[in-house]
Amino acid sequence: MSNSASDPTDLIDTTNLAQALEKFATDRNWSQFHSPKNLVMALTGEVGELSEIFQWMSEADSMKAGQNPATAQDVKDELADVLLYLVRLASVLNVDLNEAVTQKIKANEQKYPVANSLGVSTKYNKK
Amino acid sequence: MSNSASDPTDLIDTTNLAQALEKFATDRNWSQFHSPKNLVMALTGEVGELSEIFQWMSEADSMKAGQNPATAQDVKDELADVLLYLVRLASVLNVDLNEAVTQKIKANEQKYPVANSLGVSTKYNKK
Amino acid sequence: MSNSASDPTDLIDTTNLAQALEKFATDRNWSQFHSPKNLVMALTGEVGELSEIFQWMSEADSMKAGQNPATAQDVKDELADVLLYLVRLASVLNVDLNEAVTQKIKANEQKYPVANSLGVSTKYNKK
Amino acid sequence: MSNSASDPTDLIDTTNLAQALEKFATDRNWSQFHSPKNLVMALTGEVGELSEIFQWMSEADSMKAGQNPATAQDVKDELADVLLYLVRLASVLNVDLNEAVTQKIKANEQKYPVANSLGVSTKYNKK
């Protein structure tokens, strides 16, 4: 985790959030529970809750779920929960998320060249 | 998604990453596959891959998984994949992730007051 | 886990599978890794792989995925993997799956009376 | 799904449960929601709830979670929910679960020969 000022070319800056979560856990003496193994399970729980919002929804309705008053707050809350645990997990693992996504996007650009990938979802499915 | 310059008090800034993912999808004509419903399933797949790294690991070993040469690159890659789909999902749902986590942390501070929560993991488990 | 003969009114009989998995683990000295916590993570990994098969598929195409030659074997394999870990997990937790699902179906019948639930998926979403 | 009497050499018999779930869905006109894609998401939600039970628990405590009065009923309920959706999913996909697990165990016996696998959890992690 860098403490330096954010670089405007960074893809993502999670510095303040990571610090807020560290303080939140330390204030409550919760760091003892935050092993990466435990946090991956907590992340799984939150992705499960996100999935429950969408499970019986058509794809078309899912496009509107962020604005639909019946689901908007739940969607926002569950996206937040997933993000909180993901950033906390990266912190305790000492992984720089900006570096990780920057590398990954470069790798994906080589793995899925535009010419071969145009509109072909099946490219996604094979590793 | 705001296009404005990052506010230094923001907890997280995903603007550049969201734009990079939008371009990546548009270039490949993949936006057609990126319904929220589909992206939640893709997120589930990546969390599953993250879980596989840690499934037989002790909690103690999981603390070192981000630096252990046997797992460091896999950990980084899977954290990146989860983050990519999460940010893409927030984009297509038109949810502002910084606002979402800011609200959520405030709610968590009220839900788990320091005095009542000190070292008590069970507070986590009950909704 | 009962060793008695299967009762024809049982909803499910996992006795032979549970025994086969116990032998498989014991033969390889793998029982040491099979804590419930670890097995839940392994189950998560397999559900993630199942999800990857369906993530870019329309609902209509998903109806045919068990017969479609492009996906049939993967579908079968991943369903099997989920089931293997689920039955193994129940064994190490000493939970009788037949009793658990019998109770659960009775509870669901009371929670979702036919008259109030007809064609209403939203009943599912609220706990 | 076979309607024939259970073969005593079957590893698993889900016939009665599959029929009960079919009736449950038909009675409520819920089959319309039970596409495989939707059911995989519902399965994900239940695995998330199972994961939440174990997320802050040590491996040692997880061994007792099926008998511990604080968690026993939740464990039973969530195992049941996962199994219900899994069996329902196999039904709508027209996959024979007994055949699937029988094949899979044979494949695993060849993939992980006893001599090479003794006590080595890392064999699990590499595909």
Side-chain angles (χ1 to χ4, degrees), chain D residues 14-70:
Chain D
T14 60
T15 315
N16 289 347
L17 179 54
Q19 288 176 353
L21 294 174
E22 173 70 25
K23 178 169 165 42
F24 194 93
T26 304
D27 284 351
R28 286 157 186 76
N29 197 19
W30 281 358
S31 295
Q32 60 182 316
F33 306 119
H34 287 186
S35 68
K37 187 177 179 91
N38 288 3
L39 289 167
V40 170
M41 295 191 84
L43 184 66
T44 299
E46 298 303 340
V47 171
E49 293 187 34
L50 190 62
S51 198
E52 287 179 10
I53 300 174
F54 292 95
Q55 62 195 13
W56 311 121
M57 218 182 265
S58 69
E59 276 188 74
D61 285 345
S62 82
M63 298 300 296
K64 299 170 278 182
Q67 268 61 51
N68 181 339

Side-chain angles (χ1 to χ4, degrees), chain C residues 8 10-11 13 16-17 28 30 34-37 54 57 59 62 76 81 99 104 112 117 119 124, chain D residues 8 10-11 13 16-17 28 30 34-37 54-55 57 59 62 76 81 99 104 112 117 119 124:
Chain C
D10 280 354
L11 288 177
D13 181 0
N16 289 346
L17 179 53
R28 285 156 186 79
W30 281 359
H34 287 189
S35 70
K37 188 176 179 91
F54 292 95
M57 221 182 262
E59 275 187 74
S62 81
K76 203 170 175 178
D81 280 337
E99 187 184 303
K104 192 73 190 197
Y112 306 110
S117 307
Y124 266 59
Chain D
D10 280 355
L11 287 177
D13 181 359
N16 289 347
L17 179 54
R28 286 157 186 76
W30 281 358
H34 287 186
S35 68
K37 187 177 179 91
F54 292 95
Q55 62 195 13
M57 218 182 265
E59 276 188 74
S62 82
K76 203 170 175 178
D81 281 337
E99 188 186 304
K104 192 72 190 197
Y112 305 110
S117 306
Y124 266 59

Side-chain angles (χ1 to χ4, degrees), chain A residues 7-77:
Chain A
D7 181 330
T9 66
D10 280 355
L11 287 177
I12 191 164
D13 181 359
T14 59
T15 314
N16 289 347
L17 180 54
Q19 288 177 352
L21 294 174
E22 172 71 25
K23 177 170 165 42
F24 193 93
T26 304
D27 285 351
R28 285 157 187 77
N29 197 19
W30 281 0
S31 295
Q32 59 182 315
F33 305 119
H34 287 187
S35 70
K37 187 176 180 90
N38 287 3
L39 290 167
V40 169
M41 296 193 83
L43 184 66
T44 298
E46 299 302 338
V47 170
E49 293 188 32
L50 190 63
S51 197
E52 287 179 9
I53 300 175
F54 292 95
Q55 63 194 17
W56 311 120
M57 221 182 264
S58 69
E59 276 189 73
D61 285 345
S62 81
M63 298 300 296
K64 296 171 280 183
Q67 270 61 49
N68 183 337
T71 49
Q73 190 60 48
D74 283 352
V75 164
K76 203 170 175 177
D77 283 344

Side-chain angles (χ1 to χ4, degrees), chain C residues 16-63:
Chain C
N16 289 346
L17 179 53
Q19 287 176 353
L21 294 174
E22 174 70 25
K23 178 170 164 42
F24 194 93
T26 304
D27 284 352
R28 285 156 186 79
N29 197 19
W30 281 359
S31 294
Q32 59 181 317
F33 305 119
H34 287 189
S35 70
K37 188 176 179 91
N38 287 3
L39 289 167
V40 169
M41 296 192 83
L43 183 66
T44 299
E46 298 303 338
V47 170
E49 293 186 35
L50 189 62
S51 198
E52 287 179 10
I53 299 175
F54 292 95
Q55 62 194 15
W56 311 120
M57 221 182 262
S58 69
E59 275 187 74
D61 285 346
S62 81
M63 298 300 297

